[in-house]
């Protein structure tokens, strides 16, 4: 069993976000809001460009937490606030860097504070995951 | 306020008609879309594929102007992972509705039950922009 200690910092990981991935997420999740696929529409509602689904960014954080937990079925609580959009221009790749710190440890569970950064800005706030050991 | 009747709905629970049976195909498609290794249990945010839809239906039937909605925050809790074969009934409750700087902020909790068992709950805070 992996050992976890309060205050322990988990190695950061980088995740790539492209327009193609957003189309795939829209199809798999059913969230077809055009701001996540259509540049013209996104700009018409005042956005700088196509933005990632907040839930896609959160899902990446869930993936990161699952890798730390060793198993995605171990996550019992997971929360995030959508603070800034992840902007995804055509043909470009947005990079989201996830890092985490252990905030609580019990014999049964581990709690993480997760940070998600894109272009130097926090794109998720108050991101917490609790997993069973 | 865009939806004058909304605050009156706080605390009311709406049980969706019918149930959703989770297939391995839908779990695999979701896992692939977010880059998770293929798995037999649903990834931690999978519940949103059921609950966001249901809470949208609920809010639309309550007269909320969905075109101006932004997802503010999201929380999940579960007693166990969702697995293929689960037949889930979604019940959604408007937990709070308030207006801040002209934006209407609504929190909807959606519970997913398999028979009597509560499998997962999802809290979505949705902001209707002024």
């Amino acid at each position: 069993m992996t050992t976890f200690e309060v205050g322990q910092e988990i190695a950061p990981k980088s995740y790539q976000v492209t327009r193609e991935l957003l189309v795939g997420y829209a199809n798999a999740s059913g969230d077809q809001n055009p701001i996540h696929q259509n540049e013209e529409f996104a700009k018409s509602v005042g956005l700088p460009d196509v933005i990632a689904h907040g839930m896609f960014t959160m899902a990446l954080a869930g993936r990161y937490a699952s890798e730390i937990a060793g198993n995605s079925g171990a996550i019992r609580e997971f929360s995030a606030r959508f603070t800034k959009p992840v902007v995804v221009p055509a043909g470009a790749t947005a990079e989201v860097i996830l890092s985490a710190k252990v905030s609580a440890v019990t014999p049964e569970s581990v709690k993480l504070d997760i940070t998600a950064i894109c272009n130097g800005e926090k794109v998720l706030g108050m991101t917490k995951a609790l997993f069973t050991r | 306020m865009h939806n004058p009747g909304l605050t009156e709905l706080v605390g009311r629970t709406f049980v969706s008609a019918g149930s959703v049976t989770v297939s391995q195909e839908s779990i695999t498609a979701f896992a692939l879309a977010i880059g998770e290794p293929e798995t037999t249990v649903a990834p931690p945010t999978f519940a949103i594929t059921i609950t966001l839809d249901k809470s949208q239906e609920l809010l639309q039937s309550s007269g909320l102007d969905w075109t101006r909605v932004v997802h503010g925050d999201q929380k999940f809790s579960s007693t166990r992972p969702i697995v293929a074969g689960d037949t889930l009934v979604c019940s959604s409750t408007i937990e709070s509705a308030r207006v801040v700087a002209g934006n209407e902020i609504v929190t909807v909790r959606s519970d997913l039950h398999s028979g009597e068992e509560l499998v997962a709950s999802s809290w979505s805070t949705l902001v209707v922009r002024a």
Side-chain angles (χ1 to χ4, degrees):
Chain A
M1 186 164 77
T2 318
T3 310
F4 292 98
E5 283 172 32
V6 173
Q8 180 184 343
E9 295 194 10
I10 312 290
K13 267 191 104 163
S14 161
Y15 296 80
Q16 315 302 317
V17 185
T18 62
R19 292 266 183 97
E20 291 68 32
L21 288 172
L22 298 184
V23 173
Y25 183 78
N27 292 335
S29 70
D31 183 346
Q32 296 286 356
N33 188 328
I35 61 171
H36 307 303
Q37 297 186 41
N38 182 327
E39 183 170 331
E40 205 177 321
F41 183 85
K43 288 179 173 170
S44 79
V45 295
L47 293 166
D49 207 320
V50 163
I51 63 167
H53 307 72
M55 283 308 306
F56 181 75
T57 310
M58 187 174 182
L60 296 180
R63 213 177 114 187
Y64 179 64
S66 297
E67 285 170 18
I68 296 166
N71 159 20
S72 75
I75 310 284
R76 289 283 74 81
E77 288 173 25
F78 187 33
S79 58
R81 184 167 292 173
F82 306 111
T83 49
K84 293 263 182 195
V86 172
V87 179
V88 188
T93 299
E95 183 185 35
V96 176
I97 298 164
L98 293 164
S99 58
K101 203 171 188 175
V102 176
S103 62
V105 177
T106 73
E108 295 81 31
S109 68
V110 175
K111 207 167 177 182
L112 301 171
D113 280 338
I114 300 172
T115 304
I117 305 279
C118 181
N119 286 326
E121 288 192 304
K122 279 192 185 183
V123 288
L124 297 177
M126 304 285 289
T127 312
K128 296 174 189 303
L130 180 139
F131 61 87
T132 52
R133 322 179 66 178
Chain B
M1 196 160 171
H2 308 286
N3 306 287
L6 196 66
T7 49
E8 289 159 28
L9 298 173
V10 170
R12 274 184 64 183
T13 298
F14 299 77
V15 180
S16 65
S19 56
V20 174
T21 298
V22 177
S23 65
Q24 182 58 49
E25 290 74 23
S26 64
I27 291 177
T28 302
F30 191 83
L32 278 174
I34 65 168
E36 280 224 5
E38 201 167 317
T39 169
T40 54
V41 303
T45 60
F46 178 82
I48 201 73
T49 64
I50 303 167
T51 63
L52 200 59
D53 221 31
K54 296 297 177 195
S55 37
Q56 284 185 18
E57 280 172 24
L58 153 65
L59 294 173
Q60 262 163 354
S61 68
S62 315
L64 192 114
D65 177 4
W66 189 253
T67 58
R68 302 177 70 83
V69 168
V70 173
H71 200 172
D73 62 54
Q74 179 62 39
K75 180 173 126 185
F76 298 98
S77 96
S78 61
T79 56
R80 62 163 175 85
I82 293 170
V83 293
D86 274 337
T87 294
L88 301 170
V89 172
C90 180
S91 56
S92 297
T93 304
I94 298 180
E95 284 202 335
S96 69
R98 62 205 169 93
V99 180
V100 176
N103 296 314
E104 192 168 49
I105 302 173
V106 184
T107 300
V108 182
R109 187 189 83 235
S110 296
D111 293 330
L112 295 177
H113 281 91
S114 168
E116 293 291 301
E117 180 196 12
L118 175 63
V119 178
S121 297
S122 155
W123 288 258
S124 297
T125 299
L126 305 165
V127 181
V128 188
R129 289 175 296 153

